[in-house]
Amino acid sequence: MLPATFKLCCGISHQHFRNMTGLKRTAVAALTHGMRRMKIKDNFLSGPWDSLAQKPHSAPKIEDERLEIKRTLNTDELSYVKQGEDALQKALGILSQDAGWTTEIKTENGDNVLSKVLPGIGKVFKLEGVLNATTEHVYNELYEKIDQMSSWNPSIKHLHVLQKIGKETMVTYEIMGDTAGNIIGQRDFVSVRHCWKEGPYCYLTGIATESKFMPPQKGFVRGETGISCIILHPADTKNKTRFTWLLSMDLKGWLPKSLINQALSQAQVDFTEHLRQQLSSSLFSISC
């Protein structure tokens, strides 16, 4: 009933919204945020991801905190948050499609890379594997310590945070490292990265964006992340994490699609292996 009422209100009050004061706009933004979360949950329940929708008992408090943070954001910052949330919806919609995936790579350690061609998107890749670390540990390496990623991942030459928006969203600038034989020239990326934790699950989503702090740079081709979504959740074995990574990228420039597709699928395998090494190294440091 609430979603239907909300849509009706939007339909009859669009022009009024343009004339609202800041306080009223914040209220509508908060309601929109709630609707978006409900829509994401509906996506889970309609597909094989139903178990991902289990909410912790503290969920209402967490939502209150999110809305409180949103009230402090300006228009540009709210736009970045929306981009991240919409990217998560898009990714989960793709992952809910079981049929049509083709195996690209199978590794000895059990990682599988699958691919699928989608209308309007192109080829997307999905890596599935298991990591020898807790979900929280993996999350810390991939999100909380993201500006340190270039220290252990040779495929990233440089990465820094341009803007941090609350606890769940950031805008980053990244320079891709050299490829084998330097076949693919220098590429840089500006992305919105959005984190959402739901019960034992953690979602790390990225998508291309623009930033006034990092316009196109001389000497670089600005690539675009079509969609990137990493899903982390505990494996059946203690202290292990199931790792699913959906990826679609446009490297721009005059590059054969076959070369790009080969590079992206292999990049997922290489990244996951470097991540394993970093997790093992950091665990060893903690134990010492």
Side-chain angles (χ1 to χ4, degrees), residues 2 14 95 98 106 127 130 165 170 192 224 235 247 260 262:
L2 184 56
H14 175 72
L95 289 169
D98 289 334
K106 280 191 173 184
L127 182 143
V130 176
I165 306 164
M170 64 176 74
V192 170
E224 292 184 355
L247 178 66
I260 294 175
Q262 181 180 356

Side-chain angles (χ1 to χ4, degrees), residues 22-257:
L23 181 60
K24 291 180 179 179
R25 280 175 179 264
T26 300
V28 173
L31 182 55
T32 303
H33 174 75
M35 293 301 98
R36 189 173 298 115
R37 292 295 186 185
M38 290 176 66
K39 185 175 180 181
I40 291 174
K41 183 174 180 180
D42 288 342
N43 284 344
F44 291 157
L45 297 176
S46 63
W49 303 90
D50 55 326
S51 61
L52 277 59
Q54 300 301 317
K55 288 194 172 186
H57 294 300
S58 59
K61 181 179 178 181
I62 293 174
E63 287 299 326
D64 288 344
E65 291 174 353
R66 285 168 173 159
L67 293 178
E68 187 61 35
I69 290 173
K70 279 198 168 187
R71 292 188 183 97
T72 67
L73 304 181
N74 60 40
T75 303
D76 289 341
E77 292 169 332
L78 285 170
S79 174
Y80 286 131
V81 173
K82 184 179 184 301
Q83 289 176 51
E85 292 178 343
D86 288 349
L88 176 58
Q89 278 193 60
K90 181 179 179 181
L92 293 175
I94 296 171
L95 289 169
S96 68
Q97 303 175 27
D98 289 334
W101 294 93
T102 301
T103 300
E104 293 277 344
I105 300 176
K106 280 191 173 184
T107 68
E108 294 181 356
N109 58 21
D111 292 345
N112 292 324
V113 179
L114 310 173
S115 69
K116 184 174 184 175
V117 177
L118 297 174
I121 298 177
K123 200 164 190 176
V124 296
F125 297 88
K126 178 176 66 172
L127 182 143
E128 300 174 327
V130 176
L131 303 174
N132 293 322
T134 64
T135 299
E136 190 65 20
H137 187 188
V138 182
Y139 156 78
N140 284 333
E141 291 292 343
L142 295 181
Y143 193 78
E144 293 295 338
K145 300 179 181 179
I146 191 170
D147 55 352
Q148 301 176 29
M149 193 176 289
S150 60
S151 68
W152 54 264
N153 181 9
S155 66
I156 297 177
K157 192 172 184 179
H158 174 79
L159 193 158
H160 73 268
V161 178
L162 297 174
Q163 286 180 264
K164 197 154 188 179
I165 306 164
K167 296 179 180 179
E168 299 178 334
T169 308
M170 64 176 74
V171 181
T172 62
Y173 176 66
E174 174 185 341
I175 298 176
M176 186 174 72
D178 296 332
T179 59
N182 200 27
I183 297 174
I184 300 176
Q186 292 192 104
R187 296 293 193 276
D188 65 354
F189 302 83
V190 175
S191 306
V192 170
R193 297 176 186 261
H194 182 68
C195 170
W196 180 35
K197 289 185 176 182
E198 190 78 6
Y201 292 84
C202 180
Y203 310 85
L204 305 174
T205 308
I207 193 166
T209 193
E210 295 180 355
S211 172
K212 61 184 179 182
F213 300 113
M214 191 56 67
Q217 301 293 296
K218 185 177 180 180
F220 291 91
V221 175
R222 178 64 52 88
E224 292 184 355
T225 301
I227 191 73
S228 176
C229 183
I230 292 174
I231 300 178
L232 309 172
H233 64 98
D236 296 333
T237 307
K238 185 179 179 181
N239 294 332
K240 291 193 175 185
T241 298
R242 290 199 175 277
F243 178 84
T244 302
W245 180 16
L246 182 73
L247 178 66
S248 169
M249 297 185 76
D250 184 353
L251 296 179
K252 301 296 184 179
W254 299 97
L255 295 171
K257 285 188 176 181

Side-chain angles (χ1 to χ4, degrees), residues 2-35:
L2 184 56
T5 303
F6 177 71
K7 289 179 181 178
L8 177 61
C9 291
C10 287
I12 64 177
S13 62
H14 175 72
Q15 186 59 40
H16 294 295
F17 176 74
R18 299 172 66 91
N19 300 322
M20 282 183 177
T21 63
L23 181 60
K24 291 180 179 179
R25 280 175 179 264
T26 300
V28 173
L31 182 55
T32 303
H33 174 75
M35 293 301 98

